[in-house]
């Protein structure tokens, strides 16, 4: 049985969801005081695809990612549902087109992809200063004495409150 292309088969959801995410990445829109995002980025669903945008990935450049549902069979030591060549090519085309239209930039590099459950695409243009400040806020950690970066694990609401203050594009979290 031939697999279907989950990127193309998502009825344009990948591009429609990715467009506002990339617009946000390069937006200079101010955020409320105390707003923050995880250094791992923001995420969204698009059909069978999970998407993420890390504002400051390798070399402090943005990384756009695709995550597809895959399964590992322990008995046969095989993965099913991994990214196909067509899915990788389609995702790279979508990211390249939108990065050019929205950010005036191109793809710098890619990793993972075919045969895995995720594909990462690094872009040449850094995120806006407004978005970089959100990551910086998270990296500073909780201002309370003896608290950690993710001190919500200790019952502190600093991290979750900061995330709630961030203005994210519709459908992203």
């Amino acid at each position: 049985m031939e697999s279907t292309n989950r990127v193309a088969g998502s009825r344009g959801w990948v591009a429609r969801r990715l467009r506002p995410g990339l617009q946000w990445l390069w937006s200079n829109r101010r955020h409320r005081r105390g707003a923050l995002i995880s250094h791992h980025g923001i995420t969204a669903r698009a059909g069978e695809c999970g998407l993420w945008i890390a504002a400051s990935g390798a070399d402090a450049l943005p990384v756009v990612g695709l995550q597809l549902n895959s399964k590992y069979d322990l008995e046969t030591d095989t993965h099913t549902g991994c990214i196909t060549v067509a899915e990788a090519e389609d995702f790279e085309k979508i990211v390249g087109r939108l990065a050019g239209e929205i950010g005036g930039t191109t793809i710098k590099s890619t990793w993972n992809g075919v045969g895995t459950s995720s594909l990462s695409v690094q872009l040449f243009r850094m995120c806006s200063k407004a978005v970089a400040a959100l990551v910086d806020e998270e990296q500073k950690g909780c201002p309370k004495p003896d608290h950690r970066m993710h001190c919500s694990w200790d019952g502190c609401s600093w991290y979750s409150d900061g995330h709630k203050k961030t203005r994210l594009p519709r459908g992203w979290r």
Side-chain angles (χ1 to χ4, degrees):
M1 182 170 119
E2 194 149 328
S3 66
T4 60
N5 183 326
R6 292 161 289 181
V7 173
S10 63
R11 299 177 188 227
W13 290 355
V14 170
R16 284 197 308 270
R17 187 70 82 210
L18 200 50
R19 178 178 293 281
L22 290 175
Q23 289 169 334
W24 173 84
L25 179 70
W26 292 306
S27 167
N28 287 312
R29 182 180 183 187
R30 295 182 145 235
H31 297 270
R32 290 173 273 206
R33 184 178 177 93
L36 58 84
I37 59 168
S38 168
H39 60 283
H40 294 293
I42 61 174
T43 60
R45 293 291 304 163
E48 291 186 54
C49 304
L51 303 173
W52 77 89
I53 298 174
S56 183
D59 301 323
L61 294 172
V63 177
V64 178
L66 169 70
Q67 181 74 42
L68 295 177
N69 295 332
S70 68
K71 295 178 180 147
Y72 176 71
D73 185 331
L74 189 60
E75 289 182 21
T76 61
D77 191 30
T78 58
H79 289 272
T80 58
C82 292
I83 295 174
T84 65
V85 171
E87 289 169 336
E89 289 173 350
D90 284 348
F91 186 68
E92 289 177 33
K93 284 178 192 173
I94 292 168
V95 171
R97 179 176 53 81
L98 291 176
E101 285 176 21
I102 298 165
T105 192
T106 59
I107 293 172
K108 180 179 180 188
S109 64
T110 64
W111 57 91
N112 299 334
V114 177
T116 70
S117 62
S118 66
L119 170 61
S120 299
V121 179
Q122 184 180 37
L123 303 174
F124 267 110
R125 182 178 171 200
M126 295 178 95
C127 67
S128 70
K129 288 181 181 181
V131 172
L134 297 171
V135 177
D136 291 346
E137 186 69 23
E138 184 238 13
Q139 293 294 296
K140 285 190 283 187
C142 182
K144 296 174 186 163
D146 301 325
H147 279 228
R148 303 185 307 240
M149 183 188 304
H150 298 129
C151 61
S152 57
W153 297 327
D154 297 331
C156 177
S157 65
W158 168 80
Y159 185 81
S160 60
D161 289 348
H163 199 273
K164 289 174 189 170
K165 292 176 183 176
T166 305
R167 294 180 177 106
L168 294 175
R170 184 182 304 251
W172 288 82
R173 55 183 177 89

